[in-house]
Amino acid sequence: MSPRTPEQNKKIREQTQQKIVDAGFTLFAREGYASTSIAAIARKAGVSKGLIYHYFDSKEAILSTIFDQMIDLGDEILDFPDDFTPADKMRQTLQETFQFIEQQTGKGRLMITLALQPETYSNLQSKIERVNETQTVKYIEMLRELGHQQPELEAYRLGALMDGILMGYATMGEAYPLEKMKKKIMEDYVPS
Amino acid sequence: MSPRTPEQNKKIREQTQQKIVDAGFTLFAREGYASTSIAAIARKAGVSKGLIYHYFDSKEAILSTIFDQMIDLGDEILDFPDDFTPADKMRQTLQETFQFIEQQTGKGRLMITLALQPETYSNLQSKIERVNETQTVKYIEMLRELGHQQPELEAYRLGALMDGILMGYATMGEAYPLEKMKKKIMEDYVPS
Amino acid sequence: MSPRTPEQNKKIREQTQQKIVDAGFTLFAREGYASTSIAAIARKAGVSKGLIYHYFDSKEAILSTIFDQMIDLGDEILDFPDDFTPADKMRQTLQETFQFIEQQTGKGRLMITLALQPETYSNLQSKIERVNETQTVKYIEMLRELGHQQPELEAYRLGALMDGILMGYATMGEAYPLEKMKKKIMEDYVPS
Amino acid sequence: MSPRTPEQNKKIREQTQQKIVDAGFTLFAREGYASTSIAAIARKAGVSKGLIYHYFDSKEAILSTIFDQMIDLGDEILDFPDDFTPADKMRQTLQETFQFIEQQTGKGRLMITLALQPETYSNLQSKIERVNETQTVKYIEMLRELGHQQPELEAYRLGALMDGILMGYATMGEAYPLEKMKKKIMEDYVPS
DNA sequence: AATGAATGAGTCTTCATTCAT
DNA sequence: CATGAATGAAGACTCATTCAT
């Protein structure tokens, strides 16, 4: 009955799905998960409500997908070329993290909010933990390579610091001294 | 003239109000503001839904009251005797902050969540800002007294660090190396 | 136990009751019966909600009492000295009716609204009918004395006219040409 | 592209919407606006409460739509062919008005009730005023053409009279001498 | 006589989800 | 693949009424 080839269909499917995920992400980040309605997502994505349920089982499934994509993206951040020195790695990691903080504030805000409500979004919990762990492991490795004494503890400290900066920037916006913080932290952690 | 004396009434009022605030606080902290229903608060507080509106104008008013109580508590934390040396002040501040993180995790979680959703609870925004400012100012002063070069920037860093630790502990719970972090940070900031 | 004499008590009772009736009347007239809350009446009357239920069985009972008082007042309007000529009677009746329209607009508005919702205020219905009948009978008598051919029909017409004017004035307020209408109608119905 | 054709949808929409409007109208007229619940409208219309909000933004929006439909109907009443003499026009106007009073008593009752509560439904107020004005203007013109001395005042009188008759009939129902009134008024205003 | 704390049914409204087409 | 009409449970909030004192 359909005049479309399977390939076309697949492409359409993926595009539509992505439109929904993008719309959902934007709104979740801006308004929060609970305050964002399926109707609003449908509107922003330019599709019908029904179609959303064609692609996703529930509102939470959208969130879950968004989360997966965020994780994939996070993994990319933490990957670098083989010829990088430990200092290069740290520099790039910090730079990219600060870039994320500045440019994807909404994303960060959303992640924090979700991470802080384990009971409500229990099936995201394992994913969140995995993200944290992955990040911590990478930090530990880098810090060890850089010759820190207690790389594990130092990794927690660095992680907390970056989380705190994200929070500060997400809360205060432009009033937060993001650039200065970046400079200071780069100086501290990246031997020049 | 009144059958119950004004004192009796006042006491009843305060008790009931506090029951509602406590229930609201617990649930807001655990489930988030948006996901907590008035019905749930009423159930937990052991009162009727109607009574809640006898004491509070709206759901947001409950939140606001909770917030005020949290602020009062926060102000106490930041007060210390006159004969304290700068190091004493810093030591006590950090100790009390870590204690807060450990013992009042729910409160901390709630504050972060709220701070991160500026648009939704705009009338809390000013209060949150006040808290932040107060804390930052105190940090700056202490760090200056301790001889730090850039007390302001350092204050932001310390603030971010503590926020990040709160976040980590709130997310991971006992799995978070809170004690070790405390020790490390005390060593860093409090000259012994 | 009470230091008050029975007389004092009676007086207090009547005064309080009247305060409630007055407050209720004002609010019912201004906001409508359904939109007026017992709490609002209590506030305006300066008494507690509980006291209202000490004097009245229900919200509707207040309305009913208000109605009775309005009827008593209406009866007075239609009573005149024995030495009045038919023209005197008509003149005074019309004058007082116009005065009522102008000065007690709220009262009139309330009566119309209630009269128009028989299903809702069914136990007021008989009272309303009695008012209408009484008025019509008086009109018929006066019009017959004045020599009208079809006094009954003419009474309905005059009644409708006055009701319509009340409605117009209640709706338009000062924009309604009440004075001119009064003059015209007096000329028509009162031979001079 | 759509499974139901747009025409089908439009038809469904209009039908359902009209069912809601009809149910709302009946109940508003009988019980009053404030005393009619959305649940009652849904029940009478045979739809779910939710669907009502799919079609109308609020309870007041239903009322507003009802009103608009009533106005459209009213406008038709006041239009007549070009070759009508002034007497023809007046005759037809009165006839149609009486017909409205008799057959659309509920509509009339609702309009009066709403007109009498200016503060509550303020955004209907302008519409009501427009209706009144339109009607008055038409009356004035007709009465002038018929040679009345003070057509404006006479228009107000005629308007009041018809309003009063509507009220009487709406209140008393069959007990009201509607036919006789009609005959009398026709004789008075339409030269034969 | 009087208060006001307390209740619970009911109000308008929202929204995730289903389903006929 | 796609639509949007329809549902029903739940949400915040109101209010007439009761009751202990």
Side-chain angles (χ1 to χ4, degrees):
Chain A
M1 189 76 75
S2 169
R4 301 196 201 94
T5 67
E7 286 77 24
Q8 282 179 314
N9 267 334
K10 185 159 178 266
K11 203 176 158 194
I12 288 178
R13 265 205 311 276
E14 278 169 4
Q15 281 178 346
T16 307
Q17 206 159 347
Q18 194 56 39
K19 272 197 296 185
I20 295 167
V21 166
D22 289 346
F25 164 66
T26 305
L27 293 173
F28 288 163
R30 192 195 303 152
E31 319 278 352
Y33 173 76
S35 302
T36 298
S37 72
I38 292 287
I41 296 175
R43 214 176 306 126
K44 188 165 192 81
V47 303
S48 68
K49 270 185 297 173
L51 194 57
I52 291 186
Y53 281 88
H54 185 72
Y55 287 112
F56 298 93
D57 282 344
S58 65
K59 189 181 168 183
E60 205 168 339
I62 303 176
L63 181 60
S64 204
T65 302
I66 290 174
F67 223 86
D68 291 342
Q69 295 194 2
M70 278 166 58
I71 289 175
D72 291 348
L73 195 129
D75 286 349
E76 285 170 27
I77 283 189
L78 297 171
D79 252 3
F80 13 62
D82 289 343
D83 63 340
F84 263 35
T85 67
D88 287 341
K89 290 180 188 173
M90 182 57 92
R91 188 182 306 109
Q92 174 160 332
T93 301
L94 292 179
Q95 256 161 358
E96 283 181 336
T97 306
F98 272 101
Q99 194 178 334
F100 173 84
I101 290 173
E102 190 172 2
Q103 290 171 9
Q104 313 284 345
T105 318
K107 228 168 245 177
R109 198 193 332 241
L110 180 57
M111 283 197 75
I112 296 177
T113 307
L114 296 174
L116 288 176
Q117 288 178 12
E119 333 258 327
T120 313
Y121 313 108
S122 53
N123 66 350
L124 288 182
Q125 212 48 23
S126 55
K127 293 182 183 175
I128 292 175
E129 273 165 26
R130 217 201 82 209
V131 172
N132 275 337
E133 253 177 52
T134 308
Q135 199 206 33
T136 306
V137 167
K138 296 248 179 173
Y139 274 160
I140 292 174
E141 204 174 329
M142 282 189 290
L143 290 164
R144 178 179 298 118
E145 288 178 359
L146 282 168
H148 280 260
Q149 303 278 335
Q150 299 175 290
E152 190 164 332
L153 206 50
E154 200 60 49
Y156 276 104
R157 176 166 40 185
L158 182 52
L161 193 50
M162 298 309 285
D163 284 347
I165 290 170
L166 167 53
M167 258 191 58
Y169 187 67
T171 308
M172 298 174 55
E174 291 304 322
Y176 195 81
L178 190 62
E179 270 311 308
K180 290 184 188 163
M181 293 294 278
K182 180 180 173 184
K183 206 176 150 212
K184 188 173 192 68
I185 286 162
M186 298 286 282
E187 284 168 7
D188 280 359
Y189 284 92
V190 184
S192 55
Chain B
M1 191 83 72
S2 173
R4 278 202 210 90
T5 66
E7 286 77 25
Q8 279 177 312
N9 269 328
K10 189 163 177 255
K11 204 176 158 191
I12 289 177
R13 264 204 314 274
E14 277 170 6
Q15 282 177 348
T16 308
Q17 211 160 340
Q18 196 56 43
K19 273 198 294 184
I20 294 168
V21 165
D22 289 346
F25 163 68
T26 305
L27 293 172
F28 287 164
R30 191 196 304 154
E31 319 275 355
Y33 175 76
S35 302
T36 298
S37 72
I38 291 287
I41 297 176
R43 214 176 307 126
K44 187 163 194 80
V47 302
S48 68
K49 269 187 294 175
L51 192 57
I52 291 187
Y53 285 91
H54 186 66
Y55 287 109
F56 298 93
D57 282 343
S58 64
K59 190 181 167 183
E60 204 170 337
I62 303 176
L63 182 58
S64 202
T65 302
I66 291 174
F67 218 87
D68 290 343
Q69 294 192 4
M70 278 165 53
I71 289 176
D72 291 347
L73 196 131
D75 285 348
E76 286 170 25
I77 284 189
L78 297 170
D79 253 3
F80 16 62
D82 289 344
D83 62 340
F84 264 34
T85 67
D88 287 340
K89 290 180 187 171
M90 181 57 91
R91 187 180 308 110
Q92 173 160 332
T93 300
L94 291 179
Q95 255 161 359
E96 283 181 335
T97 306
F98 271 101
Q99 194 178 337
F100 173 83
I101 290 173
E102 191 172 1
Q103 291 172 8
Q104 313 282 344
T105 320
K107 277 195 177 81
R109 200 199 321 250
L110 180 56
M111 284 198 76
I112 297 178
T113 308
L114 294 175
L116 287 177
Q117 307 204 349
E119 284 118 61
T120 314
Y121 319 112
S122 53
N123 75 345
L124 285 184
Q125 207 50 21
S126 54
K127 291 181 183 176
I128 292 175
E129 273 165 27
R130 215 201 84 206
V131 173
N132 275 338
E133 260 176 45
T134 308
Q135 199 206 33
T136 305
V137 167
K138 297 246 178 174
Y139 275 160
I140 293 174
E141 203 173 331
M142 283 190 291
L143 290 164
R144 178 179 296 118
E145 288 177 359
L146 283 167
H148 280 258
Q149 302 278 335
Q150 298 176 291
E152 192 165 329
L153 206 51
E154 200 60 49
Y156 275 104
R157 175 162 43 181
L158 183 52
L161 192 51
M162 299 309 285
D163 285 346
I165 291 170
L166 167 54
M167 252 193 64
Y169 186 68
T171 310
M172 298 174 54
E174 291 304 320
Y176 195 82
L178 190 60
E179 270 310 308
K180 289 184 189 163
M181 293 293 278
K182 180 179 172 185
K183 207 176 147 211
K184 190 174 189 66
I185 286 162
M186 298 285 283
E187 283 168 7
D188 282 358
Y189 283 92
V190 183
S192 54
Chain C
M1 190 78 73
S2 170
R4 302 196 201 95
T5 67
E7 284 76 24
Q8 280 177 316
N9 268 333
K10 185 159 179 264
K11 203 176 161 193
I12 288 178
R13 265 206 311 277
E14 278 169 6
Q15 281 177 346
T16 307
Q17 205 159 346
Q18 194 55 39
K19 272 198 295 185
I20 295 168
V21 166
D22 289 346
F25 163 67
T26 304
L27 293 173
F28 288 164
R30 193 196 303 153
E31 318 278 352
Y33 173 75
S35 301
T36 297
S37 72
I38 292 286
I41 297 176
R43 214 176 307 127
K44 189 166 192 81
V47 301
S48 69
K49 271 187 295 175
L51 195 57
I52 291 186
Y53 282 88
H54 185 73
Y55 288 112
F56 298 92
D57 283 342
S58 66
K59 189 179 168 185
E60 205 168 339
I62 302 176
L63 181 60
S64 203
T65 303
I66 291 174
F67 222 87
D68 290 344
Q69 294 193 2
M70 278 166 59
I71 290 174
D72 291 348
L73 195 129
D75 286 349
E76 285 170 25
I77 283 188
L78 297 170
D79 250 5
F80 11 64
D82 290 343
D83 63 339
F84 263 34
T85 67
D88 287 340
K89 291 179 187 173
M90 181 58 90
R91 186 183 306 111
Q92 172 161 332
T93 300
L94 292 180
Q95 254 161 358
E96 282 181 334
T97 305
F98 271 101
Q99 194 179 335
F100 172 84
I101 290 173
E102 190 170 2
Q103 291 172 7
Q104 314 282 344
T105 319
K107 227 167 243 177
R109 196 193 333 238
L110 180 58
M111 284 198 76
I112 295 178
T113 307
L114 296 175
L116 287 176
Q117 289 178 11
E119 333 257 327
T120 312
Y121 312 108
S122 54
N123 67 350
L124 288 182
Q125 211 49 22
S126 54
K127 291 181 183 175
I128 291 174
E129 272 165 26
R130 216 201 84 209
V131 173
N132 274 335
E133 251 178 50
T134 309
Q135 197 206 36
T136 306
V137 167
K138 297 248 179 171
Y139 274 161
I140 292 173
E141 203 174 330
M142 282 190 291
L143 290 163
R144 177 179 297 117
E145 287 178 0
L146 282 168
H148 279 260
Q149 302 279 336
Q150 299 175 291
E152 190 166 330
L153 205 51
E154 198 60 48
Y156 275 105
R157 166 146 70 169
L158 182 52
L161 192 52
M162 298 310 285
D163 284 347
I165 290 169
L166 166 54
M167 257 193 60
Y169 186 68
T171 308
M172 298 175 52
E174 292 304 322
Y176 195 83
L178 189 61
E179 270 312 307
K180 288 183 188 166
M181 293 295 277
K182 179 179 173 185
K183 205 177 150 210
K184 190 173 189 69
I185 286 160
M186 299 286 281
E187 282 169 7
D188 280 0
Y189 284 90
V190 184
S192 56
Chain D
M1 192 83 70
S2 171
R4 278 203 210 90
T5 65
E7 285 77 23
Q8 279 177 312
N9 268 329
K10 187 161 179 257
K11 204 175 159 192
I12 290 177
R13 264 204 314 275
E14 277 169 5
Q15 283 176 347
T16 309
Q17 210 159 344
Q18 196 56 42
K19 271 199 294 184
I20 295 167
V21 166
D22 289 346
F25 163 68
T26 305
L27 293 173
F28 287 163
R30 192 197 302 154
E31 320 275 355
Y33 174 75
S35 302
T36 298
S37 72
I38 292 287
I41 297 176
R43 213 176 308 127
K44 186 163 195 84
V47 302
S48 68
K49 269 187 293 175
L51 192 57
I52 290 186
Y53 284 90
H54 185 68
Y55 288 110
F56 298 93
D57 283 343
S58 64
K59 190 180 166 183
E60 203 169 339
I62 303 176
L63 181 59
S64 202
T65 302
I66 292 173
F67 217 87
D68 290 343
Q69 294 191 3
M70 278 166 51
I71 288 176
D72 291 348
L73 196 132
D75 285 349
E76 286 170 25
I77 283 189
L78 296 170
D79 254 2
F80 16 61
D82 288 344
D83 63 339
F84 265 34
T85 66
D88 286 340
K89 291 179 187 172
M90 181 57 91
R91 189 181 306 110
Q92 172 161 332
T93 300
L94 292 179
Q95 254 161 359
E96 283 181 335
T97 304
F98 271 101
Q99 195 179 335
F100 173 84
I101 291 174
E102 191 171 1
Q103 290 172 8
Q104 313 282 346
T105 319
K107 277 196 177 79
R109 200 199 321 248
L110 180 56
M111 285 198 75
I112 295 177
T113 308
L114 295 175
L116 288 178
Q117 306 203 352
E119 285 120 58
T120 314
Y121 316 113
S122 55
N123 74 346
L124 286 183
Q125 207 50 21
S126 56
K127 292 181 183 176
I128 292 175
E129 272 165 26
R130 214 200 86 207
V131 172
N132 274 338
E133 253 178 50
T134 309
Q135 198 206 34
T136 306
V137 167
K138 296 250 179 173
Y139 274 160
I140 292 174
E141 203 174 330
M142 283 189 291
L143 290 164
R144 179 180 296 118
E145 288 177 359
L146 283 168
H148 279 260
Q149 301 280 335
Q150 299 175 292
E152 190 164 332
L153 206 51
E154 199 61 47
Y156 275 104
R157 170 155 58 175
L158 182 52
L161 192 51
M162 298 309 285
D163 285 346
I165 290 170
L166 166 55
M167 256 193 60
Y169 187 69
T171 309
M172 299 175 53
E174 291 305 321
Y176 195 83
L178 189 62
E179 269 312 307
K180 288 184 188 164
M181 292 294 278
K182 179 179 173 184
K183 206 176 149 210
K184 188 173 191 68
I185 286 162
M186 298 286 282
E187 282 169 8
D188 280 359
Y189 282 92
V190 184
S192 56

